[in-house]
Amino acid sequence: MGTWDIGPFDNDTAADFSYRVDEAADGKKADVLLAAFREVTGTGDDYLDADFGAEAIAAAALVAAQCEGGEAVTTSYGPKQPLGDLPVELRAEAVAALDRVLAEPSELLELWEESDGEEWKAGVLRLRGVLAGG
């Protein structure tokens, strides 16, 4: 995975995910985000691949952008097309996915821990806080 910074879209996988979101029909973009969350939460206690984790974090950032206290996704690596209003129910799905990304066994967590990823982890926890309403 090519990663150039700690943000939700600062890696090749998340940038590619943005294209999938853009390609989804209007009214179906939320389904792409939900699928990313469920891909992660569906692993249970099995090893979580880094790419799935990166997609879930990017999807969570898109949902969080519509929450109070959320930050707009302004990077050129994010989706170019408007998402429309996302269902509030996606917030709980996003929180569950972020919790799974931050739990062992998670390849993305391991990769960031190997490179002193405290700032990355803090960013994911900030996203989680916005999504959880606190």
Side-chain angles (χ1 to χ4, degrees):
M1 169 173 77
T3 301
W4 50 88
D5 208 343
I6 62 168
F9 290 93
D10 293 341
N11 61 79
D12 290 334
T13 301
D16 291 345
F17 176 74
S18 294
Y19 294 119
R20 280 208 331 267
V21 174
D22 278 338
E23 290 173 356
D26 289 342
K28 295 293 182 185
K29 295 183 188 299
D31 294 340
V32 175
L33 305 182
L34 180 60
F37 299 142
R38 294 212 170 142
E39 187 72 46
V40 167
T41 58
T43 62
D45 292 334
D46 292 338
Y47 193 74
L48 176 61
D49 183 82
D51 287 345
F52 295 137
E55 289 179 356
I57 291 171
L62 295 172
V63 176
Q66 294 189 5
C67 296
E68 184 176 332
E71 296 180 21
V73 175
T74 58
T75 176
S76 62
Y77 299 104
K80 311 290 185 257
Q81 305 301 318
L83 296 179
D85 291 334
L86 296 172
V88 173
E89 296 78 27
L90 282 180
R91 295 175 187 180
E93 297 278 350
V95 167
L98 294 179
D99 286 346
R100 179 60 192 89
V101 169
L102 294 175
E104 297 286 345
S106 168
E107 182 181 22
L108 192 58
L109 177 64
E110 289 173 11
L111 290 170
W112 279 106
E113 286 179 341
E114 289 172 3
S115 62
D116 192 28
E118 286 304 311
E119 193 176 352
W120 169 83
K121 191 173 183 179
V124 175
L125 290 171
R126 272 192 304 277
L127 267 182
R128 187 194 185 286
V130 168
L131 291 160

